Amino acid sequence: MPTLEIATRFDWDTFVRRYWNQRPVLFKGTQASPFTVDDVFEASAGATQRYLSRSYEPASRPDVTFTVDRLRQLRSREWLPRKSDGSLDGYDARIASQLGERRYALIIATMHASGFQLWSRQRAFFSGLWQRVGMPVTGGITSLFHGTYEHSPVGVHLDRFTTFMFALRGRKRMRFWHKRPWSEDVSTILDYQPYLASSFVAEVEPGDILYWPSTYYHVGESAGAGVASSLNVGIPITEHHVIYSVDDLLRGMLDETSLADQEWKQTRLARVSASPLARGALSKNGVLATELPRALTEAVRAFRDVSHPKEARRHIQSTWLKRLTSGGFEPVPPPTREKPLRDSHHVRVDPSFPVLFERDSATRWICSANGHALRGAGGGRAIEIFFRKLNSGAAVSVEELLSPFGTRRAARHDSEVIAATREGMRGVLKKLHAVRAITLSA
């Protein structure tokens, strides 16, 4: 029967050589975890705000769920973390006052999209792994598991992801099977007591890192009194084909169910305005109309626009740059509000995560940072010097960066393209600051 290996030192070279996609390992007391409880609370409160700002179809899978005694709560607003809780401890106290001894589970997927500090630490930590095994083309996922639940609400299951668990609070037990322990034609089971003998367990405490490959069946269990919380990072390995990214390249980096309503309205494929109800499509004699309904005609036209070779090439280039600067974890946190930028200000880029710059034609260019991209035109060699100075790692004055650019507007472009004028490039710096790619000092 397989057993769990325990290590007391964490480094990526040893991890990749001994454990990556091979077998589970528990890293105890290494102080290597990039996550803090404060960052997790900030992201969970942000996830609540993001979740409540969106509408979902009944068949959709929202990324925030709450269960009480294994029953999923369809109306979960009152059970979710909010900024007024102040901390995870404050949240736990509020839930305990409402539920008493009843067991609950809070599960938040794509946590990295809702907290910049959490996402930033996560990107920095996993960059070491990507350097050794390659960055996942379709991106990793980050899920919070928090509560007093007896075991994972879905029971014993197999993931498509190779998984890292970062223990935050309380104690947890993960139970594993190297092979599927049951013979029934089902994908998960809740009653797994008959199969305990063939399993092995990992007892996980705050600060521990547990890793298991996607080939291991598993279930999370309660391992003590009180609330326990952990952050799981899954990296797509099994049954996750690159073909899944075709939609990304045509429509954008995110599936429409992941976008806030207002964000989805801004995408090009959402500009089809015709009613989905087709009048006169079928005559009284049962003969189909010779023309497509307006809604389908508009949809085909929109698809033709975004798939035009030149436009598609630019979109694919922009999408790939955003994916690279997201560090393998998308969607990325949204930008903050833009702030005024004076010539006397100094800006600095972390050289470990530079602003990527590429030309997409002789006069047009794209830059990307922290999972966001900007398209510009003009500027000649001054543009390349601008980004070279910006990525030097040194604090550079705004005046020095903008001095090569004139005030006359370049040739007219569409509204998404920034002209390489003095004020246009000031706008680039403001946007880079809003996405937290540059720090600002007087």
Side-chain angles (χ1 to χ4, degrees), residues 305-324:
D305 289 343
V306 301
S307 59
H308 185 276
K310 183 180 292 185
E311 182 65 20
R313 178 172 53 80
R314 286 175 174 156
H315 180 62
I316 291 169
Q317 186 179 15
S318 176
T319 297
W320 179 238
L321 287 175
K322 288 191 288 186
R323 184 147 290 163
L324 287 175

Side-chain angles (χ1 to χ4, degrees), residues 251-328:
R251 181 173 49 210
M253 287 185 69
L254 307 176
D255 186 84
E256 68 270 23
T257 57
S258 300
L259 291 171
D261 293 342
Q262 190 59 38
E263 291 173 312
W264 165 239
K265 291 175 183 177
Q266 299 304 313
T267 62
R268 286 172 293 176
L269 292 188
R271 296 173 187 172
V272 177
S273 58
S275 169
L277 302 176
R279 293 180 178 275
L282 195 67
S283 71
K284 293 180 180 179
N285 296 326
V287 179
L288 287 174
T290 57
E291 295 181 355
L292 281 174
R294 180 186 167 195
L296 293 181
T297 302
E298 286 191 5
V300 170
R301 188 180 300 119
F303 177 80
R304 185 184 297 118
D305 289 343
V306 301
S307 59
H308 185 276
K310 183 180 292 185
E311 182 65 20
R313 178 172 53 80
R314 286 175 174 156
H315 180 62
I316 291 169
Q317 186 179 15
S318 176
T319 297
W320 179 238
L321 287 175
K322 288 191 288 186
R323 184 147 290 163
L324 287 175
T325 58
S326 72

Side-chain angles (χ1 to χ4, degrees), residues 193-215:
Q193 294 297 317
Y195 312 109
L196 293 181
S198 60
S199 69
F200 62 98
V201 299
E203 300 279 349
V204 188
E205 299 175 310
D208 292 350
I209 303 175
L210 174 64
Y211 166 80
W212 67 90
S214 60
T215 52

Side-chain angles (χ1 to χ4, degrees), residues 2-76:
T3 57
L4 178 73
E5 188 166 338
I6 297 177
T8 56
R9 181 176 178 272
F10 183 91
D11 71 85
W12 284 121
D13 287 328
T14 303
F15 170 81
V16 170
R17 185 177 67 253
R18 292 179 57 88
Y19 309 111
W20 174 248
N21 286 331
Q22 298 177 59
R23 57 183 179 274
V25 57
L26 176 61
F27 294 95
K28 300 281 299 179
T30 64
Q31 306 298 315
S33 174
F35 301 113
T36 69
V37 173
D38 289 342
D39 289 347
V40 169
F41 171 72
E42 178 195 20
S44 62
T48 295
Q49 187 175 7
R50 182 180 174 89
Y51 168 73
L52 295 178
S53 70
R54 290 177 287 178
S55 60
Y56 292 94
E57 294 296 329
S60 70
R61 298 180 62 186
D63 47 20
V64 177
T65 58
F66 192 90
T67 65
V68 178
D69 294 336
R70 298 188 184 179
L71 297 178
R72 178 176 173 178
Q73 306 299 298
L74 296 180
R75 297 182 179 181
S76 56

